[in-house]
Amino acid sequence: MTTLKKGDKAPEFWGIDQDGKVHELTNYKGKKLVVFFYPKANTPGCTAEACDLRDNFERFQANNYELLGVSADDKQKQSKFKEKFHLPFPLIADEDKEVIEAFGIWGPKKFMGREYDGIHRTTFVIDENGIIEEVIEKVKTKEHAAQILK
């Protein structure tokens, strides 16, 4: 789905999280950044993915990683999702899909025979200099941390 690949410069993005705080790629210079895109807060797959990342958050921190979740949900929905599951990382409320489209993960999907446009669950691992280290398109929601922290 995405045209971004390993070795590409990550898009210069900015988005607003559940608390109204702005996050930009430049805020993360000098740290590794995991940007994970998920279709919808509080759905089974997205919850499993976010909770797996939460449960491994200390391992991410120990390896100099920051995490940033992104979906098209509004700030209120992101805030409730973060609170309900005690997520220790910010969630971008990308209602206008600017970050989603910058990473190229919005497009046609199929579910139960129905076609529609939506977010393709994808994770980008970005190095300290803003270069994409890895693109994970086949996300295993219950084992996602292991896919990143090999």
Side-chain angles (χ1 to χ4, degrees):
M1 173 74 226
T2 181
T3 56
L4 293 172
K5 58 191 179 311
K6 181 178 179 171
D8 287 350
K9 178 125 180 65
E12 292 292 336
F13 69 87
W14 72 271
I16 299 172
D17 73 11
Q18 74 288 334
D19 297 324
K21 183 179 177 203
V22 174
H23 295 265
E24 300 177 62
L25 179 61
T26 56
N27 299 146
Y28 297 95
K29 192 164 176 57
K31 286 199 170 263
K32 292 181 181 182
L33 177 63
V34 174
V35 183
F36 67 99
F37 292 88
Y38 56 96
K40 197 169 179 70
N42 273 314
T43 56
C46 298
T47 299
E49 178 181 11
C51 289
D52 180 57
L53 296 174
R54 174 203 65 204
D55 294 346
N56 289 279
F57 189 65
E58 287 180 12
R59 289 179 57 211
F60 283 105
Q61 287 187 308
N63 287 288
N64 199 34
Y65 283 98
E66 294 286 337
L67 275 70
L68 192 57
V70 183
S71 79
D73 294 307
D74 63 30
K75 285 196 309 187
Q76 184 178 2
K77 195 162 191 180
Q78 295 287 50
S79 183
K80 286 180 179 177
F81 186 45
K82 182 176 170 68
E83 286 174 29
K84 181 177 181 181
F85 295 102
H86 309 287
L87 304 176
F89 39 78
L91 302 175
I92 298 290
D94 192 24
E95 292 180 83
D96 58 10
K97 301 176 191 69
E98 286 186 18
V99 179
I100 292 163
E101 289 178 355
F103 280 84
I105 52 119
W106 181 264
K109 296 174 73 168
K110 276 188 182 177
F111 182 68
M112 296 179 73
R114 189 173 68 89
E115 280 197 38
Y116 61 97
D117 283 345
I119 296 172
H120 289 258
R121 185 186 310 275
T122 308
T123 296
F124 295 85
V125 181
I126 302 168
D127 75 10
E128 298 87 344
N129 300 307
I131 303 299
I132 297 171
E133 276 187 351
E134 188 174 8
V135 179
I136 303 170
E137 294 181 88
K138 293 185 182 344
V139 172
K140 296 177 182 172
T141 58
K142 294 178 182 173
E143 303 163 14
H144 196 36
Q147 287 181 288
I148 300 165
L149 295 169
K150 300 174 212 136

